[in-house]
Amino acid sequence: MHTELAPAIDQQKLQQAIRASQDYLLSQQYPEGYWWAELESNVTMTAEVILLHKIWGTEQRLPLAKAEHYLRINQREHGGWELFYSDGGDLSTSVEAYMGLRLLGVPVDDPALVKARQFILARGGITKTRIFTKLHLALLGCYDWRGIPSLPPWIMLLPEGSPFTIYDMSSWARGSTVPLLIVMDRKPVYPMQPALSLDELYVEGRANASYELPRQGNWGDVFIGLDQVFKVCEAWNLTPLRQEGIKAAEKWVLERQEASGDWGGIIPAMLNSLLALRVLNYAVDDPIVQRGMAAVDRFAIETETEYRVQPCVSPVWDTALVMRAMVDSGMAADHPALVKAGEWLLSKQILDYGDWCVKNKTGQPGGWAFEFENRFYPDVDDTAVVVMALEAVTLPDEKVKRQAMERAAAWIASMQCRPGGWAAFDVDNDQDWLNAIPYGDLKAMIDPNTADVTARVLEMVGRCALSFDSTAVDRALAYLRNEQEPEGCWFGRWGVNYIYGTSGVLSALALVAPRYDRWRIRRAAEWLVQCQNRDGGWGETCWSYNDPSLKGKGDSTPSQTAWALIGLLAAAQATGEAATAAIERGVTYLLETQRSDGTWNEDYFTGTGFPCHFYLKYHYYQQHFPLTALGRYARWREQA
């Protein structure tokens, strides 16, 4: 049994905090039933949209002054722009922001650009930026295409069963790369009017720049040699099946455009697809182009003073997590707001076959995606959370709901990977050598199974009375046991970082793990307690992906504090032993940092796109996760 609860938390204050949070979230629900908040990344999304419109000659679609204001206000004192909050500035992000301002007509002697230039040059200038930054500059003639890795279009024609096909790339890499096969084959340069040069960002001077791809000093350097062969073939027009590959890439891009205009539900795939159409001389008034432009517009947020672009939109994810928070915090399962949300989620179930079926020959569709529309790319994480959200509410037609849940569970079961876990979008998408190719410098070319997604599936199995093979559960548990770190924590692929991963796994193990795993649960809970900050909260910096010694370390945030509390409460449920003092200090932190309107503020980025390279700030994470934690704490206290 857990130790006696300390009388530190005032029950009335706790219930007031829960009601205030619920009231705020209820006020934010859209009339159609969903919840949806901003998904923030960094300024490169906006800079790249400016570039796209400049290339198409459609910049009149943009509120240019607001875009300029957005880029200006996000410049930091050191002169650069950040990849995530308080990171000290990132070189590639800063070069793209600088490019965006220059495209908007800001002169080189503008004080903001003078300061930015100093920051950029001190970090090596353009030649030290990532491949995708260089690619965008090459489109303007501000970098030489010789320095961009070659991707021969014939890879589109490689048949199933080959050592490699495009389906060995992660869904996001695939959706962004296939259109780039067209762009990188043609190597276009679009001169700007007035003429634009970024020569001032070369430390060594543009004339002295080296365009050799950086060597890694390992077996991956074999790809540098292959790239040189590809470039010789391009120069002599000896690339085999070149036109056939281009036609196959064009067909693939056209087939994967949603009726709404989106490609893959992510801005990189959307922008790259529109670039490919521009290279292929599609007209600006072509319906395909117009739908694509409209989709990009829908990812933008325009206020009275700013224009900024989100990398993705997350209404399904937001809605399901808010629903769970509401029920966990005591809202009736048949509350009208939850009924409306549940029926909206049911309408979004994807019953089409997507790219996932290339490697999964047995599964039938039934998942959910992250966005409003994304029928080719449902994901396991969203689907498991939606199933749990539906389980928590009571809908007018429970039979229809149950059928949708069973169909989703069957799809998830069919997506289990060889090691026993689950990945986000694909089965066995784990050819790690792809991260060694020069083009893959973001190290995000694959989508292997991960502890956090696997835990979500097991939590779903534990919470919902669904048909699910016990052997699959055993394999997943074995995978999670193998993934536990020596300290007791688990890596977080899609949230920052070990606090996120550990919370998710504990939530699952508390429901499905056999008794002999209790020692693992205790170790994980002890690790969380050791990570608690003096203010009672928890936080973890994004730098923990670069430096494992920073596991669980960082300034306290509402979302990460909530994750730790959710994990500790799950551990208490599983073992009967509670870290009561740590839990109550964490709850006190949330109560004391809640604002008068029921919300919490959070500056830090606690969502992960690509570890070490791309981070996200979900604007609802700081709202619904604390509500979930407070609700579960209140229920735990009542049961004590």
Side-chain angles (χ1 to χ4, degrees), residues 84-157:
F84 57 87
Y85 178 75
S86 77
D87 71 355
D90 176 72
L91 173 61
S92 295
T93 304
S94 299
V95 168
E96 293 199 37
Y98 187 102
M99 173 196 74
L101 288 171
R102 293 287 285 119
L103 286 170
L104 292 172
V106 178
V108 293
D109 58 356
D110 184 277
L113 292 190
V114 171
K115 201 171 185 180
R117 194 155 57 247
Q118 293 169 348
F119 176 90
I120 289 166
L121 293 175
R123 284 154 182 79
I126 283 175
T127 54
K128 297 295 185 182
T129 58
R130 63 184 183 179
I131 291 298
F132 284 106
T133 298
K134 291 173 178 173
L135 187 148
H136 292 122
L137 298 179
L139 292 167
L140 294 167
C142 295
Y143 187 76
D144 198 298
W145 278 102
R146 286 180 292 159
I148 306 297
S150 293
L151 289 177
W154 50 256
I155 68 172
M156 287 298 301
L157 307 175

Side-chain angles (χ1 to χ4, degrees), residues 141-407:
C142 295
Y143 187 76
D144 198 298
W145 278 102
R146 286 180 292 159
I148 306 297
S150 293
L151 289 177
W154 50 256
I155 68 172
M156 287 298 301
L157 307 175
L158 294 173
E160 214 175 319
S162 300
F164 166 77
T165 75
I166 61 168
Y167 297 99
D168 289 310
M169 292 187 282
S170 61
S171 61
W172 55 86
R174 188 185 321 135
S176 300
T177 299
V178 170
L180 284 183
L181 293 174
I182 299 168
V183 177
M184 295 167 80
D185 175 79
R186 301 293 171 85
K187 298 177 173 41
V189 174
Y190 298 99
M192 294 290 109
Q193 295 296 333
L196 176 68
S197 165
L198 297 181
D199 290 359
E200 68 273 16
L201 298 185
Y202 286 85
V203 172
E204 66 276 46
R206 176 74 182 269
N208 300 317
S210 170
Y211 297 106
E212 290 187 6
L213 296 173
R215 294 187 176 272
Q216 303 170 46
N218 54 35
W219 67 269
D221 287 346
V222 70
F223 295 113
I224 305 293
L226 279 175
D227 188 77
Q228 292 168 350
V229 173
F230 293 154
K231 283 183 164 57
V232 170
C233 291
E234 289 171 351
W236 290 90
N237 197 25
L238 298 175
T239 302
L241 301 172
R242 178 183 176 191
Q243 293 308 318
E244 293 89 339
I246 293 293
K247 289 300 294 183
E250 178 185 4
K251 180 174 183 288
W252 193 94
V253 168
L254 296 181
E255 287 175 346
R256 276 155 184 75
Q257 186 181 31
E258 301 284 349
S260 57
D262 303 66
W263 280 278
I266 54 173
I267 277 290
M270 293 158 68
L271 299 188
N272 291 350
S273 296
L274 286 165
L275 279 173
L277 297 179
R278 177 73 176 87
V279 169
L280 293 171
N281 295 315
Y282 277 65
V284 71
D285 57 356
D286 188 294
I288 296 169
V289 175
Q290 286 297 302
R291 284 201 297 265
M293 292 288 190
V296 173
D297 289 345
R298 286 193 294 273
F299 277 44
I301 293 176
E302 184 176 354
T303 69
E304 289 184 7
T305 59
E306 292 180 37
Y307 171 88
R308 58 188 183 272
V309 179
Q310 302 171 94
C312 189
V313 294
S314 54
V316 171
W317 185 243
D318 289 346
T319 300
L321 288 170
V322 170
M323 288 171 65
R324 294 193 68 196
M326 292 296 209
V327 175
D328 278 336
S329 60
M331 184 171 283
D334 61 352
H335 189 286
L338 298 181
V339 170
K340 199 164 191 179
E343 293 187 324
W344 182 82
L345 283 178
L346 285 178
S347 75
K348 291 299 175 182
Q349 189 171 28
I350 298 170
L351 303 178
D352 298 309
Y353 284 90
D355 278 10
W356 55 269
C357 74
V358 173
K359 289 196 170 191
N360 177 357
K361 302 298 187 186
T362 62
Q364 294 184 324
W368 275 266
F370 195 66
E371 308 86 353
F372 286 107
E373 304 295 337
N374 193 2
R375 62 196 170 97
F376 287 97
Y377 303 108
D379 71 273
V380 172
D381 210 3
D382 270 277
T383 302
V385 170
V386 168
V387 169
M388 287 188 281
L390 292 173
E391 171 73 16
V393 300
T394 304
L395 301 184
D397 194 331
E398 282 288 294
K399 184 178 179 181
V400 167
K401 182 189 89 171
R402 180 58 50 175
Q403 287 173 338
M405 293 168 61
E406 289 284 0
R407 188 180 186 103

Side-chain angles (χ1 to χ4, degrees), residues 66-77:
K66 291 182 180 181
E68 179 182 336
H69 180 67
Y70 165 73
L71 292 175
R72 285 184 180 277
I73 64 172
N74 277 281
Q75 187 179 22
R76 300 298 177 236
E77 271 302 308

Side-chain angles (χ1 to χ4, degrees), residues 375-554:
R375 62 196 170 97
F376 287 97
Y377 303 108
D379 71 273
V380 172
D381 210 3
D382 270 277
T383 302
V385 170
V386 168
V387 169
M388 287 188 281
L390 292 173
E391 171 73 16
V393 300
T394 304
L395 301 184
D397 194 331
E398 282 288 294
K399 184 178 179 181
V400 167
K401 182 189 89 171
R402 180 58 50 175
Q403 287 173 338
M405 293 168 61
E406 289 284 0
R407 188 180 186 103
W411 178 74
I412 289 175
S414 76
M415 295 290 287
Q416 190 169 22
C417 299
R418 281 187 298 261
W422 278 267
F425 294 92
D426 281 299
V427 175
D428 299 327
N429 190 279
D430 54 9
Q431 296 203 45
D432 192 49
W433 63 268
L434 286 168
N435 283 322
I437 66 175
Y439 169 78
D441 64 351
L442 296 185
K443 308 302 179 189
M445 295 295 289
I446 58 173
D447 178 19
N449 48 196
T450 61
D452 46 355
V453 177
T454 303
R456 197 88 67 192
V457 174
L458 291 181
E459 185 186 0
M460 177 199 75
V461 172
R463 288 190 182 278
C464 309
L466 297 165
S467 303
F468 213 89
D469 182 59
S470 60
T471 304
V473 173
D474 291 341
R475 290 177 60 215
L477 284 169
Y479 169 77
L480 288 180
R481 292 182 193 115
N482 190 55
E483 289 295 304
Q484 190 171 22
E485 300 282 332
E487 300 91 336
C489 54
W490 279 270
F491 176 79
R493 166 61 182 86
W494 295 100
V496 182
N497 172 352
Y498 293 92
I499 292 176
Y500 180 82
T502 304
S503 174
V505 174
L506 285 174
S507 296
L509 294 184
L511 297 171
V512 300
R515 289 179 62 88
Y516 60 75
D517 277 327
R518 285 186 176 179
W519 69 274
R520 294 182 183 279
I521 294 173
R522 290 190 186 97
R523 281 179 62 213
E526 289 167 2
W527 179 81
L528 283 174
V529 171
Q530 291 167 6
C531 294
Q532 189 170 27
N533 290 328
R534 286 189 173 186
D535 60 9
W538 279 264
E540 184 171 359
T541 173
C542 298
W543 289 117
S544 63
Y545 287 105
N546 306 76
D547 180 359
S549 71
L550 297 174
K551 291 176 182 177
K553 297 179 181 178

